[in-house]
């Protein structure tokens, strides 16, 4: 298979051996130091105008998500309407970045957001476990793309990664990227909670970027530990370094467990002070979340009116 | 272009601290004027605003304070350890209760960011009192024999870089072991010690156990020379430390000195780079580099020099310099005009000697004393900036090729207070740490303090240890 890695790193993916040596040659991660840095950035005090800016920015970065077995077309349509117009009482609230649904709901979602800037993302590749033959995963992706998905969120084969079969994971990502064609951007989900160590998360990040990911994403939201400030900081360092080395820019998407405006703003501070301010745009940074949006909207209303309204003043979905 | 994420100012309120227009000396439990009525002003380094006027102690005042401490010593040293512990625990709790007030006060008087006083200084101050309170009734088990005795009156002189923390390092072990103290805070940062005097009264500490004399070097010299002082403890510059050593030489006084440093921060090529960059920043830009154990010499393995320097420079551009009361400020003001002058002149010398200077582009406020985070590359052991303690936000970058060379360069200094090692290889940490002649060696971190851990120097960085069980020895007759 031909390598999609940027020219500067093209020989890295020549064989399992070169890929392993490259990934294991990346600088290590000191867990204590990483977490301390993430915590220290979390103490930035974001008030008044900066807070208003951050809240609107965060809303515009939300991938409004429903990934339940019980999803119905009605639920997806409601979600789409909310993504397009998050706050019916205040039309100045920005639209979210995307709605994220299972592949069978892509067509419905596409219809629901038609005419807006909202994209449709779909979790293909046998989400969330990823335990299916490659042919099935690719079919999953092709169906979603054919139904109009603008973005594909794929899960990597964590088993292969943990077994050290890096080239297998690489080739799978490359194949999925190819199946996305030119119309869909690819987000690669590592399920960081299952990768267990920060060193693994850094290696996975580079592996994903080498294989042609447009976005690297922390998690599915379906395991105990999802996005954390520390693992997101680590991935931001990875995209920053990848750009410095190759000139190629990759997006980052923390997903799962980000529920409050306060948390979301902390992530934006991480982006601002790690990858840099030009990542502060929904083309390069996303939040995978469902309940976050309502908290952002309530905080937004509070800033606008000076009063805290409560959950009955935002829509349930 | 999209608007940038510009953090709005988030200043901590000044109203939580009530600074009086003038303060006296704290002698025998009372605030009193200096015998000759002299006063001096203390200013806020970030604005040059006069904060208050404090009494300037003369020899007569030193004598009064030492007498008060001597008188209090009889009862204080006779108290059971558990009783002394009660007072110390009470002081520690009051410090916690008044932490916000103390943090703002310290920031106003010293110029360091509220982030540091709030998150590092004041919590550590409380922790040191709690820690030594715990020792007060266990001195028999400290390893200095059964029933070790206190020394008597301790004369303590502390610097301006960590005014309240250095006070805690000195006073907590002295009181726990049954000594009484006369403490002289630095001339530019007297206020938190005076607030501490108030805390002693709030805690009901017996009169005369703690006495605070504000004043300049002359008051310090008189205190050190006073014949009825049994123990001298000093933290500050090596030059003053040498004078004190000469004064004390030949007397029965016990002496501990915590002096200057020129700490080496050694980064090997297998280091966790991103965390090493944070550690370098924390090592030299914490408290504007005005830290005796600062990692002011960065020793980088040649193979990663360029990569590391790029990362470091990029990181320095994100440091926020300005109003120290703003919760988002990383770099505050230099403590005094005099100190700023010293930093400036050493940096000019570095440039004149041919080292390459790089400073982060940040706007410096109009008033107050400021210096942008700066680093020198192309530095060799022969450069002044590699040898003299600058005591400011200035990092000298040197390179090495092998671990032996790193150790040789790290040890090639008249000082020996601190060092840092960055590598992912555990065996290398142990091997290198054993060869470094420094009182503290941090691995994969820097500038971390804990009351249980002893701190002190080799060579011109002084002698004696503060903190931990070892810190008790300085105040016991052993």
């Amino acid at each position: 298979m031909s390598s999609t890695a940027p020219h500067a790193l093209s020989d890295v993916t020549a064989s399992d051996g070169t890929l392993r040596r490259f990934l294991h040659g990346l600088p290590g991660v000191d867990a204590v130091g990483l977490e301390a840095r993430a915590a220290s950035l979390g103490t930035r005090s974001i008030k008044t105008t900066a807070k208003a800016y951050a809240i609107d920015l965060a809303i515009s970065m939300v991938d409004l998500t429903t990934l339940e077995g019980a999803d119905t077309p009605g639920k997806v349509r409601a979600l789409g309407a909310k993504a397009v117009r998050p706050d019916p009482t205040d039309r100045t609230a920005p639209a979210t970045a995307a709605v994220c649904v299972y592949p069978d709901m892509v067509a419905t979602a596409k219809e629901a957001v038609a005419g807006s800037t909202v994209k449709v993302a779909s979790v293909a590749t046998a989400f969330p476990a990823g335990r299916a033959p490659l042919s099935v995963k690719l079919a999953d992706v092709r169906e979603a793309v054919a139904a109009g998905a603008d973005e594909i969120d794929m899960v990597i084969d964590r088993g292969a990664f943990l077994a050290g079969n890096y080239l297998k994971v690489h080739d799978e990502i490359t194949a999925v990227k190819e199946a996305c064609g030119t119309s869909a951007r690819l987000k690669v989900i590592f399920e960081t909670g299952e990768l267990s160590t920060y060193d693994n998360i850094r290696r996975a990040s580079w592996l994903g970027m080498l294989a042609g990911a447009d976005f690297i994403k922390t998690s599915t939201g379906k395991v105990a530990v999802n996005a954390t400030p520390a693992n997101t900081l680590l991935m931001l360092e990875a995209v920053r370094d990848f750009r410095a080395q190759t000139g190629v820019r990759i997006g980052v998407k923390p997903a799962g467990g980000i529920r409050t405006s306060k948390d979301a703003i902390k992530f934006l501070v991480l982006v601002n002070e790690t990858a840099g301010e030009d990542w502060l745009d929904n083309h390069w940074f996303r939040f995978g979340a469902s309940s976050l949006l309502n908290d952002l909207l309530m905080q937004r209303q509070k800033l606008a009116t000076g009063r805290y309204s409560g959950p009955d003043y935002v829509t349930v979905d | 272009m999209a608007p940038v994420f510009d953090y709005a100012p988030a200043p901590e309120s000044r109203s939580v601290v009530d600074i009086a227009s003038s303060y006296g000396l704290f002698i025998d439990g009372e605030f009193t004027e200096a015998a000759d009525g002299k006063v001096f002003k203390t200013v806020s380094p970030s604005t040059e605003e006069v904060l208050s006027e404090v009494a300037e102690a003369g020899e007569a005042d030193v004598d009064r304070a030492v007498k008060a401490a001597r008188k209090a010593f009889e009862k204080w040293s006779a108290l059971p350890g558990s009783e002394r512990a009660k007072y110390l625990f009470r002081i520690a709790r009051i410090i916690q209760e008044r932490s916000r007030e103390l943090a703002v006060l310290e920031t106003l008087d010293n110029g360091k960011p509220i982030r540091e006083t709030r998150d590092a200084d004041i919590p550590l101050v409380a922790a040191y009192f709690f820690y030594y309170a715990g020792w007060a009734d266990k001195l028999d088990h400290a390893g200095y024999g059964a029933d070790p005795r206190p020394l008597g009156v301790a004369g303590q002189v502390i610097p301006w870089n960590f005014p309240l923390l250095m006070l805690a390092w000195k006073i907590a072990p002295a009181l726990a072991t049954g000594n009484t103290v006369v403490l002289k805070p630095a001339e530019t940062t007297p206020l938190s010690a005076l607030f501490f005097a108030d805390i002693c009264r709030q805690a009901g500490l017996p009169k005369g156990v703690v006495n605070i004399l504000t004043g300049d070097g002359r008051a310090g010299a008189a205190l050190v020379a006073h014949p009825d002082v049994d123990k001298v403890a000093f933290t500050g510059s090596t030059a003053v430390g040498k004078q004190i050593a000469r004064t004390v030489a030949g007397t029965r006084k016990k002496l501990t000195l915590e002096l200057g440093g020129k700490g080496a921060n050694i980064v090997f090529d297998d280091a966790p780079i991103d965390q090493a960059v944070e550690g370098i920043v924390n090592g030299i830009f914490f408290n504007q580099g005005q830290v005796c154990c600062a990692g002011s010499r960065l020793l980088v393995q040649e193979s990663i020099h360029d990569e590391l320097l790029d990362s470091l420079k990029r990181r320095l551009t994100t440091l926020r310099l300005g109003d120290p009361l703003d919760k988002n400020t990383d770099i505050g003001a230099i403590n005094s005009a005099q100190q700023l002058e010293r930093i400036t002149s050493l940096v000019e010398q570095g440039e004149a000697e041919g080292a390459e200077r790089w400073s982060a582009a940040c706007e410096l406020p109009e008033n107050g004393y400021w210096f942008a985070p700066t680093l020198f590359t192309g530095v060799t052991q022969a450069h002044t900036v590699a040898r003299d303690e600058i005591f400011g936000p200035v990092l000298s970058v040197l390179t090495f090729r092998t671990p032996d060379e790193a150790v040789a360069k790290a040890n090639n200094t008249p000082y020996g207070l601190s060092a840092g090692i960055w590598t992912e290889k555990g065996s290398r940490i142990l091997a290198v740490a054993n060869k470094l002649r420094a009182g503290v060696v941090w691995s994969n971190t820097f500038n971390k303090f804990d009351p249980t851990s002893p701190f002190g120097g080799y060579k011109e960085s002084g002698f004696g240890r503060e903190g931990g069980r070892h810190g008790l020895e300085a105040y016991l007759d052993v």
Side-chain angles (χ1 to χ4, degrees):
Chain A
M1 182 169 301
S2 68
S3 171
T4 55
H7 185 68
L9 295 169
S10 55
D11 46 355
V12 164
T13 52
S15 73
D16 224 351
T18 54
L19 186 54
R20 170 188 310 278
R21 275 193 293 281
F22 176 79
L23 295 177
H24 285 259
L26 291 167
V29 184
D30 185 83
V32 175
L34 177 74
E35 285 167 10
R37 172 67 177 152
S40 122
L41 283 174
T43 66
R44 290 284 191 223
S45 185
I46 305 300
K47 306 279 185 216
T48 60
T49 52
K51 187 172 181 185
Y53 171 74
I55 286 175
D56 277 7
L57 185 62
I59 292 172
S60 79
M61 289 170 162
V62 168
D63 280 3
L64 197 56
T65 302
T66 183
L67 297 170
E68 293 165 23
D71 285 346
T72 60
K75 160 100 180 168
V76 170
R77 275 194 290 274
L79 198 74
K82 176 150 186 168
V84 174
R85 206 170 55 244
D87 188 346
T89 67
D90 184 352
R91 300 294 174 99
T92 64
T96 70
V99 287
C100 183
V101 294
Y102 276 117
D104 63 326
M105 287 293 169
V106 168
T108 311
K110 197 69 189 167
E111 219 172 287
V113 301
S116 76
T117 57
V118 178
K119 305 264 196 276
V120 173
S122 182
V123 288
T125 67
F127 183 92
R131 304 226 75 114
L134 181 58
S135 56
V136 174
K137 293 180 185 175
L138 292 177
D140 203 13
V141 173
R142 286 193 197 103
E143 297 267 343
V145 173
D150 304 295
E151 297 167 358
I152 295 295
D153 291 32
M154 84 168 278
V155 286
I156 66 161
D157 181 343
R158 281 86 78 187
F161 183 92
L162 291 171
N165 296 330
Y166 300 130
L167 200 57
K168 178 169 190 252
V169 179
H170 172 272
D171 290 350
E172 230 177 71
I173 297 171
T174 312
V176 171
K177 171 74 181 168
E178 207 174 274
C180 287
T182 50
S183 60
R185 290 174 88 201
L186 175 63
K187 306 194 193 108
V188 176
I189 306 172
F190 302 133
E191 197 67 296
T192 50
E194 290 184 356
L195 297 188
S196 169
T197 71
Y198 289 124
D199 286 327
N200 274 345
I201 296 172
R202 174 166 285 176
R203 286 174 196 141
S205 300
W206 278 83
L207 184 59
M209 295 188 294
L210 287 170
D214 296 302
F215 258 91
I216 52 176
K217 175 174 168 185
T218 57
S219 22
T220 60
K222 304 281 185 192
V223 299
V225 179
N226 293 290
T228 65
N231 61 29
T232 305
L233 171 60
L234 181 53
M235 285 162 64
L236 286 163
E237 288 170 354
V239 297
R240 177 199 69 197
D241 294 346
F242 191 74
R243 184 201 208 179
Q245 213 165 324
T246 66
V248 177
R249 258 175 102 183
I250 309 286
V252 177
K253 178 177 171 184
I258 305 164
R259 292 192 181 86
T260 65
S261 303
K262 209 171 174 176
D263 284 344
I265 291 171
K266 285 180 185 176
F267 280 87
L268 294 181
V269 170
L270 294 178
V271 176
N272 190 37
E273 299 202 28
T274 308
E277 66 194 28
D278 54 353
W279 251 271
L280 286 173
D281 179 303
N282 69 8
H283 196 70
W284 300 113
F285 194 78
R286 295 283 178 84
F287 290 108
S290 44
S291 60
L292 170 64
L293 182 59
N294 272 355
D295 192 63
L296 288 165
L297 293 173
M298 284 190 278
Q299 290 297 332
R300 195 175 188 278
Q301 289 173 353
K302 178 173 183 278
L303 281 183
T305 64
R307 291 178 302 280
Y308 191 72
S309 51
D312 286 343
Y313 292 80
V314 289
T315 55
V316 289
D317 60 21
Chain B
M1 201 184 118
V4 281
F5 191 11
D6 200 7
Y7 306 161
E12 177 63 87
S13 170
R14 276 185 70 152
S15 64
V16 296
V17 55
D18 188 12
I19 302 175
S21 57
S22 70
Y23 286 94
L25 308 168
F26 185 67
I27 298 175
D28 206 18
E30 303 296 334
F31 283 101
T32 152
E33 282 180 26
D36 56 11
K38 278 194 186 171
V39 294
F40 64 99
K41 292 179 168 58
T42 184
V43 302
S44 183
S46 59
T47 57
E48 300 176 56
E49 165 205 2
V50 175
L51 293 172
S52 186
E53 212 170 60
V54 298
E56 183 178 337
E59 276 186 40
D61 304 306
V62 170
D63 192 52
R64 259 199 305 159
V66 173
K67 283 203 167 81
R70 172 62 58 195
K71 197 170 134 228
F73 175 69
E74 279 178 41
K75 281 188 183 166
W76 180 251
S77 60
L79 282 181
S82 55
E83 284 299 306
R84 290 199 303 274
K86 272 196 224 168
Y87 288 107
L88 286 169
F89 277 124
R90 210 178 286 162
I91 288 170
R93 287 195 304 270
I94 296 170
I95 288 166
Q96 287 184 322
E97 281 159 15
R98 296 176 64 172
S99 60
R100 191 149 164 245
E101 173 193 3
L102 293 170
V104 173
L105 176 76
E106 197 83 315
T107 288
L108 283 170
D109 203 21
N110 171 282
K112 63 170 68 186
I114 187 83
R115 259 167 96 85
E116 291 180 8
T117 53
R118 178 196 63 190
D119 299 344
D121 292 42
I122 308 302
L124 277 169
V125 169
Y128 273 83
F129 276 100
F130 275 121
Y131 176 74
Y132 280 110
W135 268 118
D137 62 349
K138 301 173 195 71
L139 298 175
D140 293 356
H141 310 286
Y144 302 113
D147 195 22
R149 303 304 306 157
L151 297 168
V153 175
Q156 307 176 321
V157 179
I158 58 169
W160 44 259
N161 58 345
F162 292 91
L164 201 53
L165 183 58
M166 291 301 103
L167 175 148
W169 283 25
K170 297 276 184 292
I171 290 184
L175 297 194
T177 46
N179 299 272
T180 54
V181 308
V182 179
L183 176 131
K184 190 199 85 70
E187 194 181 354
T188 59
T189 55
L191 292 182
S192 52
L194 294 166
F195 273 60
F196 180 78
D198 183 53
I199 288 171
C200 290
R201 291 215 294 201
Q202 201 183 335
L205 191 72
K207 289 178 175 190
V209 172
V210 168
N211 303 275
I212 308 282
L213 297 178
T214 45
D216 62 13
R218 286 169 296 188
L223 176 60
V224 167
H226 194 286
D228 206 23
V229 164
D230 303 287
K231 151 83 190 175
V232 172
F234 172 74
T235 295
S237 73
T238 294
V240 175
K242 285 178 180 173
Q243 277 177 28
I244 290 174
R246 278 193 285 271
T247 306
V248 171
T251 70
R252 65 187 162 77
K253 292 176 194 176
K254 268 187 83 164
L255 175 64
T256 44
L257 297 172
E258 304 281 359
L259 308 175
K262 193 72 187 171
N265 210 354
I266 306 170
V267 183
F268 288 98
D269 60 4
D270 65 343
I273 297 290
D274 291 305
Q275 286 73 51
V277 166
E278 291 309 314
I280 295 161
V281 169
N282 194 40
I284 183 61
F285 300 113
F286 181 63
N287 197 17
Q288 294 73 246
Q290 302 169 131
V291 182
C292 48
C293 54
S296 53
R297 283 184 301 149
L298 176 64
L299 298 179
V300 190
Q301 194 149 11
E302 228 170 69
S303 51
I304 56 161
H305 174 271
D306 294 354
E307 185 191 340
L308 186 73
L309 262 286
D310 284 350
S311 300
L312 186 57
K313 286 178 181 173
R314 186 185 52 224
R315 175 69 177 86
L316 293 194
T317 60
T318 67
L319 287 175
R320 303 167 65 88
L321 178 146
D323 178 8
L325 274 180
D326 190 321
K327 285 170 244 171
N328 291 327
T329 292
D330 299 316
I331 305 281
I334 301 300
N335 185 251
S336 64
Q338 192 193 358
Q339 184 58 22
L340 179 60
E341 203 182 323
R342 178 178 160 79
I343 297 168
T344 310
S345 103
L346 277 163
V347 164
E348 280 166 4
Q349 194 167 343
E351 283 181 293
E353 289 176 12
E356 196 180 325
R357 174 188 179 171
W358 182 94
S359 294
C362 39
E363 216 171 294
L364 303 183
E366 272 180 31
N367 295 323
Y369 318 123
W370 303 91
F371 201 88
T374 293
L375 53 86
F376 276 108
T377 49
V379 177
T380 71
Q381 291 294 102
H383 281 92
T384 305
V385 289
R387 306 208 71 80
D388 286 17
E389 184 183 37
I390 299 175
F391 223 63
V394 181
L395 178 69
S396 297
V397 184
L398 298 93
T399 58
F400 67 89
R401 291 156 298 180
T402 64
D404 286 346
E405 188 183 351
V407 169
K409 282 185 168 167
N411 286 339
N412 180 218
T413 165
Y415 297 109
L417 198 51
S418 70
I421 304 169
W422 295 84
T423 171
E424 282 279 280
K425 193 165 170 160
S427 59
R428 182 178 289 147
I429 291 171
L430 298 174
V432 173
N434 274 331
K435 292 177 192 157
L436 290 173
R437 283 185 294 159
V440 188
V441 180
W442 284 290
S443 73
N444 292 340
T445 188
F446 211 94
N447 269 346
K448 288 278 179 290
F449 301 98
D450 190 286
T452 63
S453 172
F455 180 93
Y458 281 47
K459 299 190 278 185
E460 289 207 11
S461 291
F463 47 81
R465 293 292 179 264
E466 291 183 305
R469 183 183 67 81
H470 305 75
L472 295 166
E473 187 183 0
Y475 292 93
L476 289 172
D477 186 10
V478 295

